[in-house]
Amino acid sequence: MSDTPNVVTGDLEAPTTEAPAEAESTSSETADRKREVHDMWVAGTEEPAWMRSYTDEGAQEILAAEDESAPELTRGTVVEDDFIFDDVADDDELQILNMGPQHPSTHGVLRLHLELDGETIRRVKPIIGYLHTGMEKTAETLTYMQGSTNVTRMDYLSPMHMELAFSLAVESLLGVEIPERGQAIRVLLTELNRVSSHLVWCATQGTDLGAVSMLIFGLRDREYILQFFEKVTGLRMNHNFIRPGGVAADLPDGWEEDIEAILQKVPQGVSEYEELFNGNPIFRDRTMGVGVITPEECKALGVSGPIARASGINWDLRKAFPYSGIDKYDFDVPVGKHGDVWDRYLVRMEEIKQSLGIVKQVLETIPGGDYRTTDRKVTPPPRKRIDESMEALIHHFKLFTSGFKVPAGESYAAVESPRGELGMYVVSDGREKPWRLHARTPSFNHVQALPTMMTDSLVADIVATIASADPVLGDVDR
Amino acid sequence: MAHRSGPSGFLLTTYDAAINWTRTRSMWAATFGLACCAIEMMATGAAHNDLARFGMEVFRASPRQADLMIVAGRVSQKMAPVLRQVYDQMSEPKWVISMGACASTGGMFNNYALVQGVDEVVPVDVYVPGCPPGPQSLIHGILTLQDKVMSGEIVR
Amino acid sequence: MTDSPMTDSPMTDSAMTDGPVTDVFAPLAKAFPEVEFEQVLESQQDVAHVPADRYVDFVAAARTAGFDVFVDLCGVDYLRSNPRYEVVTNLLSHEHVRRLRIRVGVSGTEPVLSSITSVFPGANFYEREVYDLFGIVFDGHPDLTRILMPDDWEGHPLRKNYSVGSVPVRFKESPKAQ
C-alpha cells in the first residue's frame, strides 16, 4: 500500500479513547477471540475488578484475517442471490415478516420481505419501485438544456453529482471543453455536496441506532452547506446548476467568506460526532461485524463507493478516471479492512475531511476566467450582447426553447457520488433531445446487495445495515 | 382562546375552541417521507428550524398515533394504495398536508408512473408549493393548517 | 491493510495511460473472432459488439480477463432499426483501469436474451429492470418479475411505442374548466 501515492491514509482504526484501541489490538492478537469486557464501559461506570475476566459477551468484533475460520463465522453465508436458493426444507418454522414501505428507518420507501428463523434472518428480498418516477422516460421528452432539471431529482441528497454526470456525458458527445474556472466550481460544489450527503448519512445512521440527537446534529451542520448552495444556485436542493457547457452562473460575491465559515464550522461538528461515536460502546457493538460484505461480493454485485472501500477495495473514480480536473487536487482515499458497518462509518468520516480538504484547495487555487464554455452552440450569448443585438436575442431564445443539437452517438460518463459510481448513459440520435438516457445509480446495486449483507444476521442489525448502505430511494427507483 | 359574548352557547363554543386548541398544539405527524421533500421535512424538524416550537416535532412511525399526514414527495402508482392504507389506519380527526409540487400536482413528472396529485387518493387540507418547499414554506403550511383547525373551518 | 488481496489494484500512473486497445483485449479478440471491438469518442470508451448467441460466453471470458466488476446493464429501444433492441452491459476492470461496454442486439419480434446472472449475480436487478421497462425476456434468470412497476401493470413503459402517459393539466377549481 505504501508505494501507491495519494491513495491510502493508513489504518482507519483510530478511536479517540484509549481503551477501545486496546480492545482492537487484543482482538487481533489473541487466538481465542475473546475481548475484555471492561473496555466496553464508559469511564466511571466500570465493573468491579473481578468481572474483568475475558468473556464472550457482546463480542462481535472482527476477527483477524489470518484466522482461517473467520469468514464463515463473521461474514455470514456467502450468498449470490436471495432467490437462487432452493426452498428451505422446514418451511413451517420460518416466519415471514414484511418491513416497509412506510417505515421510519428505511431511508425512504424501501420494502423488505424477510424470512425469519426466530431472531435470525434466513432470506431477505428487497422490493423496490415505490418511488418509480419514470424519469428515464421523461428525459426523452426534455431537451439537453432541460435535462439536468430532471436528473437532479433522482438522487436528492447529491443533486450536484447527478447534474455533473449528465453534463459530462453530454459534453463528451459534444466535444466541448470546460474552462478551468467552470471545472473548479464544479469540483467545489460536488465536494461540498459529498460532505452534506455524508452528514445526512451520519444523522440517519445515528437515528437508526437510537441516537436521535444525531439527527439534529447532522442536519445542523448540513444546513450551513445548504445555505451556501442557496446563495450560489438559488435553491437548497435540486439545483439545476451544473449544465452541459459549464455552470449556470459564476459564484456570488463574498463566497470566499462563506466557504471559510463552512471550513471552520463543519470540522468542529465532525469532531463532535467522532467524540460521540468512537468510544460509544453501544454504537461500536451494534456496528462492528454487522452487515459484512467481502470485496469479491462487492465486485460481482457492482457495489461501489464507501461500501466497497470499507471492504478493502482501493478504488475511487476520482483517482482512476479523473473528471473536471479533480486530479489537480491533493486528497487521499480512505480504505477499510473488514467491510462492516463500523468501517463504513470510518471511511465516510474520513471522506468528509478529505472533501473539505479539496474545498480548501479550490478556495486557494481557483483560477479566474469564464465559468462556461465559449462555444456559442451550447452557451447562450452574454446578457450584454442580448441588449445590443437582435441576432443574439434570437439565438438566446432558440437555445432555451428548442435547445441545441448533439451529434449522434452514445456515451457513458461516471462520477464518484457520495454513494458510489454514478453513471449516465446517453444515446443521441442527432437531435436536441436524448434518444435514451439511462442512469446507473449506485443505490440500486446497494439495495441489491442488502441480502448478501443481512443473511444470517439478526433482526436488530437490519436497520444498522440499511443505514450504512445509505440508499436513496429516489436513486434506486428513478 | 376564543370567548364569545352572551350567556347562551357560552359553554359550547369554548368547548369547541378548547378542543381545537388542544388539537393544534399537539398535532403529531406520521412520517410519510417519500422523496426530496422528506429531507426538507427532516430539516424542518432539526436544529435550525425547530418544529418543536409548534408542538409538532414528534413524528410517529405508527399511523395509529398520528393526526397529520405530511405527504412529502412524489406518489407513484405503486405507492398510492399504500398511502391510502396508511391514511385509513390513522384515527380521526386527521389532516393531510400535501408537500411540494409533485404531491400536489405531479410536478414536472407528467408521465405514466406518477399519480398526478395526491388529492386523487386522499383528501388534502393544505397544499405547500415548492420543489422542494423550504422549511419556512412547510412551517407556513403547518401554521395555515393550525389556523384552519382553530377557526373551525375544517369540521371532522 | 496488506492482508486484503484486493487492495493492490494498480492505480498508478502507468496503468492509467492510454494503452493500445489490443493489449487488454487481445485475448478476448482472439477467442471471439466474431466480436467487433471499437473505441468511441477518444475517451477510453471501449465498445464490443457481441452476437446474441455468444453473449454469456463473452461476458464470462471478460470476467476471467480482468473485467470482473459488474457496473451496469440497460436496454435501448432503437425502434426502426434491426434488431430493434439492444442490451448494453458495462464492465469495469480495476486491474487494467479500463471499462468495457458490451452491446448486444435483441430481436424486436422475439425479445429473448440469455441471462448473465450466472456470471455476475449483480445483473439480477438490472435484468429485471430491463424486463420490466422493455419487455426483454432473460433466459435463465432466477426470478424474472417486474421490479419497478406494479405486478399487474400492462405494457413496458420505456418502449418507444409506449406513450409518456401524460395527462392534460387540469385546473380543478378554475371556473373556466367547468
Side-chain angles (χ1 to χ4, degrees):
Chain A
M1 244 31 281
S2 54
D3 56 345
T4 51
N6 296 334
V7 174
V8 174
T9 52
D11 199 325
L12 276 166
E13 303 279 274
T16 51
T17 52
E18 281 188 10
E22 284 169 19
E24 285 306 301
S25 60
T26 317
S27 68
S28 58
E29 280 159 24
T30 51
D32 56 350
R33 308 193 296 274
K34 302 284 169 80
R35 97 188 286 168
E36 274 191 293
V37 76
H38 72 92
D39 288 328
M40 307 297 297
W41 293 86
V42 184
T45 64
E46 286 92 351
E47 288 287 285
W50 56 268
M51 275 188 73
R52 295 186 184 176
S53 54
Y54 288 109
T55 166
D56 263 331
E57 187 186 351
Q60 289 189 342
E61 78 271 31
I62 306 295
L63 308 172
E66 300 85 64
D67 193 334
E68 284 178 359
S69 59
E72 291 84 26
L73 279 172
T74 60
R75 295 193 160 165
T77 318
V78 176
V79 188
E80 290 204 314
D81 176 79
D82 50 327
F83 272 67
I84 289 176
F85 275 126
D86 293 334
D87 280 338
V88 187
D90 48 347
D91 254 339
D92 296 345
E93 305 208 346
L94 291 181
Q95 183 190 5
I96 308 289
L97 187 69
N98 179 59
M99 190 172 167
Q102 187 260 348
H103 189 274
S105 83
T106 48
H107 288 233
V109 284
L110 174 64
R111 181 176 159 206
L112 294 177
H113 182 91
L114 308 164
E115 282 184 24
L116 304 176
D117 182 6
E119 275 284 289
T120 316
I121 304 160
R122 289 297 174 218
R123 294 205 296 187
V124 186
K125 186 179 186 188
I127 300 171
I128 60 173
Y130 289 97
L131 197 55
H132 181 54
T133 318
M135 286 180 179
E136 291 180 2
K137 189 82 173 177
T138 298
E140 292 167 12
T141 67
L142 299 174
T143 64
Y144 290 99
M145 205 77 172
Q146 301 164 322
S148 50
T149 328
N150 181 33
V151 296
T152 190
R153 282 160 173 80
M154 287 184 184
D155 181 353
Y156 37 82
L157 284 185
S158 59
M160 292 292 186
H161 291 88
M162 299 299 298
E163 294 164 21
L164 181 59
F166 174 75
S167 302
L168 288 175
V170 175
E171 280 156 12
S172 70
L173 283 170
L174 283 165
V176 296
E177 284 290 317
I178 308 303
E180 285 202 345
R181 187 175 174 85
Q183 294 198 349
I185 295 174
R186 285 178 169 191
V187 170
L188 175 81
L189 294 175
T190 47
E191 293 306 317
L192 277 176
N193 206 163
R194 188 184 314 280
V195 175
S196 75
S197 173
H198 280 348
L199 286 172
V200 171
W201 164 81
C202 206
T204 48
Q205 174 88 62
T207 318
D208 285 356
L209 293 181
V212 182
S213 47
M214 268 317 296
L215 185 78
I216 311 283
F217 290 152
L219 289 170
R220 174 195 66 187
D221 284 340
R222 175 175 181 263
E223 203 75 11
Y224 300 126
I225 297 173
L226 286 204
Q227 278 165 6
F228 178 71
F229 281 168
E230 190 172 14
K231 190 170 178 182
V232 175
T233 71
L235 278 166
R236 289 159 54 87
M237 297 161 73
N238 304 346
H239 313 282
N240 186 23
F241 189 71
I242 299 174
R243 299 174 185 177
V247 293
D250 208 347
L251 293 169
D253 293 339
W255 67 275
E256 293 96 341
E257 286 84 41
D258 296 328
I259 292 287
E260 273 161 16
I262 288 174
L263 287 175
Q264 199 197 348
K265 283 175 188 161
V266 176
Q268 268 177 14
V270 170
S271 62
E272 265 177 39
Y273 312 150
E274 289 188 328
E275 228 168 279
L276 283 169
F277 277 145
N278 279 355
N280 187 328
I282 298 172
F283 186 75
R284 290 171 73 90
D285 243 19
R286 291 201 61 183
T287 53
M288 284 186 174
V290 171
V292 176
I293 189 164
T294 63
E296 291 77 13
E297 288 166 347
C298 282
K299 286 184 173 184
L301 290 164
V303 171
S304 51
I307 303 181
R309 284 194 282 278
S311 75
I313 298 179
N314 176 11
W315 181 260
D316 190 318
L317 289 177
R318 291 176 293 174
K319 293 281 187 194
F321 303 109
Y323 52 84
S324 288
I326 199 156
D327 44 342
K328 283 186 299 193
Y329 305 104
D330 184 32
F331 64 98
D332 293 340
V333 176
V335 177
K337 212 192 290 187
H338 307 301
D340 58 353
V341 179
W342 173 256
D343 272 21
R344 283 168 217 153
Y345 154 73
L346 293 174
V347 165
R348 286 202 174 97
M349 280 307 200
E350 184 58 33
E351 279 186 15
I352 292 180
K353 293 174 199 160
Q354 295 296 334
S355 288
L356 287 173
I358 299 175
V359 169
K360 190 156 185 279
Q361 290 172 51
V362 175
L363 176 68
E364 283 158 0
T365 64
I366 188 164
D370 245 333
Y371 56 90
R372 54 186 181 186
T373 172
T374 46
D375 187 347
R376 284 281 163 265
K377 205 183 141 206
V378 291
T379 305
R383 177 78 222 170
K384 209 167 156 224
R385 287 278 302 145
I386 297 171
D387 293 343
E388 290 166 353
S389 142
M390 188 66 190
E391 285 74 26
L393 183 66
I394 294 170
H395 185 121
H396 186 275
F397 179 76
K398 285 293 282 179
L399 212 50
F400 278 97
T401 49
S402 54
F404 50 82
K405 290 190 164 130
V406 169
E410 38 132 28
S411 179
Y412 177 88
V415 301
E416 182 77 27
S417 98
R419 267 153 282 283
E421 169 163 349
L422 167 57
M424 286 281 178
Y425 181 61
V426 180
V427 179
S428 167
D429 61 342
R431 283 186 287 186
E432 49 287 276
K433 291 174 184 172
W435 178 258
R436 168 93 168 100
L437 174 81
H438 172 73
R440 186 271 181 210
T441 46
S443 303
F444 193 70
N445 292 59
H446 297 170
V447 166
Q448 181 176 221
L450 282 180
T452 311
M453 299 184 204
M454 282 178 185
T455 303
D456 290 351
S457 64
L458 297 176
V459 175
D461 298 338
I462 294 176
V463 281
T465 310
I466 297 176
S468 75
D470 197 18
V472 170
L473 266 289
D475 201 24
V476 176
D477 296 339
R478 306 184 293 283
Chain B
M1 203 174 295
H3 290 268
R4 294 202 184 159
S5 58
S8 63
F10 177 80
L11 253 179
L12 187 68
T13 46
T14 43
Y15 189 65
D16 266 4
I19 285 189
N20 283 341
W21 181 77
T22 53
R23 279 176 177 169
T24 53
R25 259 55 190 179
S26 64
M27 200 182 269
W28 290 359
T31 52
F32 211 86
L34 294 167
C36 334
C37 295
I39 309 293
E40 288 295 59
M41 188 166 75
M42 278 156 60
T44 314
H48 283 254
N49 298 290
D50 195 11
L51 203 55
R53 290 176 292 165
F54 309 103
M56 296 194 48
E57 81 283 12
V58 196
F59 283 91
R60 303 314 295 187
S62 163
R64 298 283 187 209
Q65 301 168 345
D67 311 301
L68 167 67
M69 182 157 79
I70 301 178
V71 184
R74 38 194 194 248
V75 183
S76 69
Q77 304 280 4
K78 200 170 176 178
M79 196 65 194
V82 183
L83 185 132
R84 180 68 210 192
Q85 198 176 1
V86 170
Y87 178 78
D88 287 342
Q89 285 173 12
M90 288 165 63
S91 50
E92 295 278 352
K94 52 192 173 187
W95 298 276
V96 177
I97 288 181
S98 160
M99 182 182 179
C102 296
S104 304
T105 66
M108 60 174 287
F109 303 109
N110 193 350
N111 62 21
Y112 65 94
L114 278 203
V115 175
Q116 300 297 307
V118 72
D119 48 6
E120 295 184 5
V121 187
V122 292
V124 177
D125 296 309
V126 174
Y127 298 88
V128 181
C131 188
Q136 292 90 346
S137 305
L138 180 60
I139 289 175
H140 182 247
I142 285 168
L143 292 179
T144 309
L145 179 69
Q146 290 189 346
D147 284 350
K148 284 175 91 172
V149 173
M150 276 297 278
S151 67
E153 196 181 320
I154 304 173
V155 181
R156 286 281 152 90
Chain C
M1 207 53 56
T2 48
D3 54 4
S4 172
M6 288 302 133
T7 49
D8 54 8
S9 61
M11 288 173 54
T12 52
D13 288 341
S14 61
M16 277 192 271
T17 50
D18 256 353
V21 184
T22 48
D23 274 0
V24 185
F25 301 117
L28 283 173
K30 201 178 164 196
F32 295 87
E34 66 274 34
V35 172
E36 189 186 324
F37 285 94
E38 105 181 272
Q39 196 165 27
V40 296
L41 295 169
E42 303 156 6
S43 53
Q44 282 203 346
Q45 301 198 11
D46 303 298
V47 180
H49 299 267
V50 180
D53 52 340
R54 301 302 309 276
Y55 173 53
V56 181
D57 295 338
F58 184 79
V59 171
R63 186 178 186 176
T64 337
F67 290 88
D68 55 349
V69 185
F70 175 79
V71 175
D72 187 21
L73 189 148
C74 73
V76 185
D77 181 359
Y78 285 101
L79 196 60
R80 275 179 286 278
S81 54
N82 189 28
R84 176 177 163 179
Y85 300 108
E86 204 166 70
V87 168
V88 185
T89 313
N90 263 299
L91 301 180
L92 172 68
S93 168
H94 286 177
E95 186 188 332
H96 306 301
V97 198
R98 288 292 271 273
R99 292 183 188 282
L100 174 59
R101 192 153 73 230
I102 301 164
R103 294 172 60 177
V104 190
V106 179
S107 148
T109 49
E110 195 193 348
V112 179
L113 188 66
S114 308
S115 166
I116 59 163
T117 43
S118 53
V119 187
F120 285 107
N124 183 346
F125 270 29
Y126 282 92
E127 287 181 352
R128 282 177 69 191
E129 185 190 332
V130 173
Y131 165 73
D132 190 354
L133 302 179
F134 287 94
I136 296 173
V137 175
F138 286 90
D139 206 8
H141 190 285
D143 179 31
L144 196 65
T145 48
R146 283 189 182 273
I147 183 167
L148 293 178
M149 302 307 296
D151 287 334
D152 53 353
W153 195 262
E154 283 176 20
H156 301 283
L158 276 186
R159 286 188 175 178
K160 284 285 174 184
N161 52 359
Y162 190 99
S163 82
V164 178
S166 58
V167 294
V169 177
R170 291 156 298 170
F171 296 95
K172 290 171 190 166
E173 303 301 323
S174 158
K176 279 183 188 170
Q178 302 294 318

